[in-house]
């Protein structure tokens, strides 16, 4: 900084011998760019809790500034290219969020203590011998040629020539002096993906090519597109997918036996699906911005509650539909506030007495699993108090005294409107308006919230969301002449029941015994008051569905198949119909209704 001030402030005075022209001016301008870059890095670090690394090109720029201050010739940025000017790969991986600092340090330790490669490994690497040859030689060495080296055994077995063994031995000596690369160690241990490491290496190379001056060359360019135009494009592609399905499944085309036509239709289907996937990816954005807002929230809550809290996050580059990212902010705010105020212990002394660190920990993570996005809020606090939750629920009349409830049912009570176990109302919590908002907003996104808690160790709240709101994987079923779509996320299994497994329970209705559990049975024919459809369970198929930890069986005539469904709104006049989540245009052009499993279960039970 002093060098920059000296060059910029004194450059116009001839007595100092520094003239603001040519490469000196370039160095001054690059200094300003470097300062802007450093300020941006500090802001990013403060917002996301990540560490600071040396900006690319800093050493080279300092050399040029020092030369200008001393009156020496200032080289152009392209003339200073030293290995030390490029950022270290480990620093780049940490700065880009590809690997954490601990993983890099572990990999560096492995790099220093890595043993030299074995001759058999070198032989395979150089394609001089196959793995089968090595295994055969090791077996022969162990049983009949103990004391002989693996190379000698391979020569005796006729698998290699002495020259090949000597070549491999020389290569082994070379590799022994070259430790394994940091990126290879991280990829082998599963702590980084090969694609991400390759991207970081390209950034490092760009810094070298640019002589360290300025930032690395940006490979990607962004173009701003109006959201309405993007939505219209997605709608049109959805219509294209529907039209393509109608053409392919047309009875007129099925009657034509032409290999060329079949080949062209298959190619059309492939291109349409790829276009659909590419279009859906246009709406995918990283969840990083939302996560960074939570970092600021935790710091503010820590000051208000007087609790020292350490916040960390992972998976912030996970991509979600833009609509989901926009709407997930409020539920996350409530969950993080709940974790800090209710989850963590009230005082440092209480944590120390339990053998925990003085500072509580809140970890926010996002990852893909089972075709969905999982967002977790994890704390290392006291855990949920089941007794306190039950006591409050009984006081409010939500459950009866002594009513048997599972652990999951007890935890789900905190999602009831106005429910709070806080002893006093504060600025942070106690008003009972939080977790019910979370559940309502998440369900509007076709998601669900799961709770895991261990007393004295902490809790984990997991939000499970679909990748996109425009398309779902659905199971198409038939009831009489009508077709319905059940989201595969809600389906547990489908079975053809036996009469012996069906029972009638007084006050409950019909039940089905599945793996020792009794599940309530409902006929979709009766739920929607249809005149056609099978009446006996043994004549149809029972689909076991699950919602909020509760399972039930739905009787349908048959399962027609599974496919990706483009969701269509039913319009304002038909919104809010119990049991119906939306509609979809089927391949024959008719409309199929998408079922809301939770609404169906409430309709069937009259709740």
């Amino acid at each position: 900084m002093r060098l920059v001030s000296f060059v910029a402030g004194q450059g116009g005075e001839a007595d100092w011998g520094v003239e603001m022209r040519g490469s000196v001016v370039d160095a001054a301008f690059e200094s300003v760019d470097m300062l802007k870059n450093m300020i941006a890095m500090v802001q990013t670090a403060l917002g996301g809790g990540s560490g600071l690394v040396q900006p690319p090109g800093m050493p080279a720029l300092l050399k040029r500034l020092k030369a200008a201050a001393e009156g020496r010739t200032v080289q152009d940025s392209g003339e200073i290219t030293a290995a030390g000017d490029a950022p270290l790969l480990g620093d780049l991986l940490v700065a880009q969020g590809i690997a954490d600092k601990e993983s890099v340090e572990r990999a560096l330790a492995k790099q220093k203590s890595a043993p030299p490669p074995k001759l058999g490994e070198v032989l395979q690497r150089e394609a001089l011998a196959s793995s089968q040859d090595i295994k055969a030689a090791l077996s022969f060495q162990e049983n009949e040629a103990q004391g002989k080296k693996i190379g000698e055994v391979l020569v005796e077995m006729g698998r290699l020539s002495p020259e090949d063994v000597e070549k491999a031995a020389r290569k082994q000596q070379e590799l022994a002096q070259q430790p394994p690369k940091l990126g290879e160690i991280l990829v082998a241990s599963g702590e980084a993906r090969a694609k991400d490491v390759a991207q970081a290496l390209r950034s490092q190379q760009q810094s070298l090519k640019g002589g360290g001056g300025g930032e690395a060359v940006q490979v990607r360019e962004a173009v701003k597109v109006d959201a309405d135009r993007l939505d219209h494009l997605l709608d049109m592609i959805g219509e294209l997918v529907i039209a393509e399905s109608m053409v392919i499944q047309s009875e007129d085309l099925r009657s034509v036996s032409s290999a060329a036509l079949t080949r062209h239709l298959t190619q059309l289907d492939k291109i349409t699906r790829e276009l659909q996937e590419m279009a859906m990816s246009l709406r995918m954005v990283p969840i990083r911005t939302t996560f960074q807002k939570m970092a600021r929230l935790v710091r503010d809550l820590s000051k208000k509650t007087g609790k020292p809290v350490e916040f960390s996050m992972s998976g912030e580059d996970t991509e979600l539909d833009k609509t989901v990212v926009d709407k997930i902010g409020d539920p996350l705010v409530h969950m993080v506030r709940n974790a800090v105020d209710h989850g963590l212990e009230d005082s440092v002394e209480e944590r120390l007495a339990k053998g925990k660190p003085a500072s509580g920990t809140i970890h926010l993570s996002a990852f893909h699993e089972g075709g969905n996005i999982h967002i977790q809020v994890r704390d290392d606090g006291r855990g949920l108090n089941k007794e306190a939750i039950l006591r409050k629920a009984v006081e409010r009349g939500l459950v009866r005294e002594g009513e048997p409830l599972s652990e999951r049912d007890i935890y789900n009570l905190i999602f009831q409107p106005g429910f709070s176990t806080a002893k006093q109302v504060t600025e942070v919590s106690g008003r009972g308006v939080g977790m019910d908002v979370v559940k309502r907003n998440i369900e509007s996104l076709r998601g669900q919230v799961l709770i895991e808690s261990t007393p004295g160790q902490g809790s984990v709240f997991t939000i499970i969301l679909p990748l996109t709101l425009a398309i779902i994987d659905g199971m198409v079923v038939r009831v009489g002449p009508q077709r319905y779509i059940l989201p595969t996320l809600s389906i547990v299994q489908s079975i053809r029941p036996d009469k012996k497994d069906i029972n009638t329970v007084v006050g409950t209705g019909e039940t089905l015994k599945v793996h020792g559990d009794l599940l309530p049975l409902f006929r979709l024919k009766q739920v929607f008051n249809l005149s056609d459809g099978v009446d006996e369970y043994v004549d149809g198929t029972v689909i076991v569905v699950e919602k909020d930890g509760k399972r039930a069986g739905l009787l349908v005539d048959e399962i027609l198949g599974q496919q990706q469904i483009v969701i269509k709104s039913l319009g304002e006049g038909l919104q809010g119909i119990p049991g119906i989540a939306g509609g979809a245009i089927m391949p024959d052009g008719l409309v199929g209704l998408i079922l809301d499993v939770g609404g169906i279960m409430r309709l069937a039970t009259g709740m």
Side-chain angles (χ1 to χ4, degrees):
M1 185 71 76
R2 289 194 299 269
L3 287 170
V4 176
S5 302
F6 177 82
V7 174
Q10 306 295 338
E13 298 183 15
D15 293 343
W16 287 92
V18 179
E19 297 183 13
M20 294 298 291
R21 65 181 183 182
S23 56
V24 177
V25 176
D26 293 339
F29 285 147
E30 287 178 19
S31 301
V32 175
D33 293 337
M34 180 66 72
L35 287 173
K36 290 180 180 179
N37 185 26
M38 292 167 67
I39 292 171
M41 292 173 67
V42 170
Q43 290 175 339
T44 302
L46 291 175
S50 59
L52 286 170
V53 296
Q54 179 175 277
M58 174 67 80
L61 180 59
L62 290 177
K63 290 178 184 177
R64 299 174 65 209
L65 292 174
K66 188 175 182 180
E70 294 175 353
R72 293 186 283 111
T73 302
V74 180
Q75 295 175 297
D76 290 334
S77 59
E79 297 177 13
I80 304 178
T81 306
D85 293 342
L88 297 176
L89 178 61
D91 291 340
L92 277 175
L93 294 173
V94 173
Q96 295 176 9
I98 297 171
D100 54 41
K101 189 174 181 180
E102 291 75 15
S103 300
V104 173
E105 289 176 352
R106 285 196 298 271
L108 289 171
K110 287 182 182 179
Q111 190 180 43
K112 292 179 181 178
S113 60
K118 297 179 180 179
L119 183 64
E121 296 173 353
V122 177
L123 289 169
Q124 292 183 62
R125 180 173 176 173
E126 298 297 313
L128 296 173
S130 64
S131 58
Q132 290 80 7
D133 292 337
I134 301 299
K135 288 179 181 178
L138 289 172
S139 177
F140 184 81
Q141 182 187 45
E142 182 180 355
N143 298 323
E144 302 181 29
Q146 294 183 358
K148 288 190 176 182
K149 297 180 179 180
I150 186 71
E152 296 173 350
V153 174
L154 286 167
V155 172
E156 287 184 10
M157 294 174 63
R159 304 291 177 91
L160 287 179
S161 65
E163 291 77 14
D164 289 336
V165 174
E166 290 180 8
K167 179 181 177 182
R170 288 194 300 270
K171 189 66 177 179
Q172 184 184 29
Q173 292 178 354
E174 293 177 10
L175 293 174
Q177 299 174 359
Q178 302 173 2
K181 297 178 180 178
L182 179 65
E184 293 175 351
I185 297 174
L186 289 170
V187 172
S189 62
E191 293 176 327
R193 296 184 302 174
K195 182 176 73 172
D196 295 334
V197 173
Q199 179 65 36
L201 286 170
R202 283 195 292 272
S203 300
Q204 189 183 45
Q205 290 297 321
Q206 291 290 351
S207 297
L208 280 171
K209 290 178 182 178
E215 298 180 357
V217 176
Q218 296 296 321
V219 179
R220 297 181 179 180
E221 292 184 1
V223 177
K224 289 186 178 181
V225 179
D226 185 82
D228 292 337
R229 292 186 180 183
L230 191 58
D231 290 339
H232 185 63
L233 171 65
L234 296 179
D235 288 340
M236 289 298 98
I237 292 177
E239 296 292 342
L240 174 64
V241 172
I242 294 169
E244 182 260 343
S245 297
M246 294 171 63
V247 170
I248 288 181
Q249 299 190 26
S250 169
E251 293 295 335
D252 296 334
L253 280 181
R254 287 184 177 182
S255 62
V256 178
S257 57
S258 169
L261 178 61
T262 302
R263 186 170 64 253
H264 295 329
L265 289 176
T266 302
Q267 180 68 8
L268 172 64
D269 182 67
K270 177 176 179 294
I271 294 173
T272 305
R273 299 301 167 187
E274 289 180 355
L275 180 62
Q276 183 183 30
E277 291 177 5
M278 182 177 64
M280 296 310 304
S281 69
L282 295 177
R283 286 194 61 90
M284 306 297 277
V285 295
I287 201 170
R288 176 185 295 275
T289 304
T290 304
F291 273 23
Q292 289 176 347
K293 292 178 182 177
M294 299 304 112
R296 175 65 182 269
L297 175 66
V298 170
R299 285 198 297 273
D300 293 344
L301 290 172
S302 176
K303 293 178 181 178
K304 289 179 181 179
T305 59
K307 300 178 182 180
V309 184
E310 292 184 4
F311 177 77
S312 61
M313 58 185 182
S314 60
E316 57 269 28
D317 289 327
T318 302
E319 292 187 335
L320 269 170
D321 189 288
K322 186 179 185 302
T323 305
V324 179
V325 172
D326 292 341
K327 293 183 178 181
I328 199 65
D330 286 343
L332 277 180
V333 166
H334 288 295
M335 294 176 74
V336 170
R337 290 167 69 101
N338 209 54
V340 174
D341 194 48
H342 289 289
L344 299 180
E345 288 82 356
D346 293 329
S347 64
V348 173
E349 292 75 15
E350 186 180 348
R351 289 185 60 85
L352 294 176
K354 294 179 180 179
K356 296 181 179 181
S359 297
T361 300
I362 303 291
H363 183 73
L364 191 58
S365 62
F367 54 91
H368 292 265
E369 185 175 298
N372 298 295
I373 294 292
H374 289 229
I375 300 175
Q376 287 187 342
V377 180
R378 183 186 300 269
D379 68 74
D380 66 343
R382 65 184 71 146
L384 293 181
N385 188 332
K386 290 190 291 185
E387 291 74 19
I389 294 173
L390 263 179
R391 189 164 54 249
K392 191 71 174 181
V394 171
E395 289 176 7
R396 296 193 55 205
L398 297 175
V399 296
R400 295 187 300 272
E401 185 77 39
E403 181 179 348
L405 294 175
S406 67
E407 184 178 80
R408 184 168 182 174
D409 290 335
I410 295 174
Y411 291 157
N412 284 339
L413 289 171
I414 68 175
F415 294 117
Q416 293 294 324
F419 191 93
S420 177
T421 58
K423 297 179 181 178
Q424 60 182 5
V425 178
T426 66
E427 184 182 354
V428 178
S429 66
R431 293 161 293 173
V433 287
M435 298 309 289
D436 63 315
V437 175
V438 170
K439 185 178 182 182
R440 189 165 59 249
N441 288 5
I442 296 302
E443 287 183 344
S444 71
L445 297 173
R446 299 202 316 273
Q448 57 180 316
V449 185
L450 304 180
I451 304 175
E452 301 173 44
S453 184
T454 304
Q457 296 184 21
S459 304
V460 181
F461 286 74
T462 304
I463 300 174
I464 302 176
L465 295 167
L467 286 173
T468 175
L469 299 180
I471 294 178
I472 63 167
D473 284 322
M475 189 75 73
V476 183
V477 300
R478 182 179 65 83
V479 180
Q482 303 295 329
R483 287 170 298 179
Y484 300 99
I485 298 122
L486 282 166
T488 54
L489 183 63
S490 303
I491 297 176
V492 179
Q493 65 181 112
S494 60
I495 54 177
R496 297 295 294 269
D498 294 328
K499 281 188 176 181
K500 62 181 179 63
D501 295 326
I502 300 174
N503 300 285
T504 302
V505 179
V506 178
T508 302
E510 293 173 304
T511 61
L512 174 66
K513 191 173 185 180
V514 179
H515 304 308
D517 297 328
L518 290 178
L519 305 180
L521 275 177
F522 309 119
R523 294 178 173 89
L524 278 184
K525 172 186 174 181
Q526 293 181 353
V527 172
F528 290 116
N529 197 24
L530 300 176
S531 57
D532 297 324
V534 298
D535 292 308
E536 299 297 328
Y537 291 103
V538 293
D539 296 331
T541 299
V542 173
I543 298 179
V544 179
V545 295
E546 181 177 17
K547 182 68 174 179
D548 294 333
K550 297 178 181 179
R551 295 187 178 186
L554 302 178
L555 175 65
V556 300
D557 291 12
E558 64 175 328
I559 296 175
L560 300 179
Q562 181 178 348
Q563 64 186 67
Q564 281 196 328
I565 304 296
V566 179
I567 302 173
K568 294 290 183 181
S569 172
L570 295 177
E572 294 183 4
L574 297 176
Q575 283 185 355
I577 298 178
I580 304 298
I585 301 176
M586 307 304 290
D588 58 2
L590 299 178
V591 175
L593 293 178
I594 301 171
L595 301 183
D596 171 24
V597 171
I600 293 290
M601 294 170 70
R602 287 191 293 273
L603 273 177
T605 56
M607 296 177 63

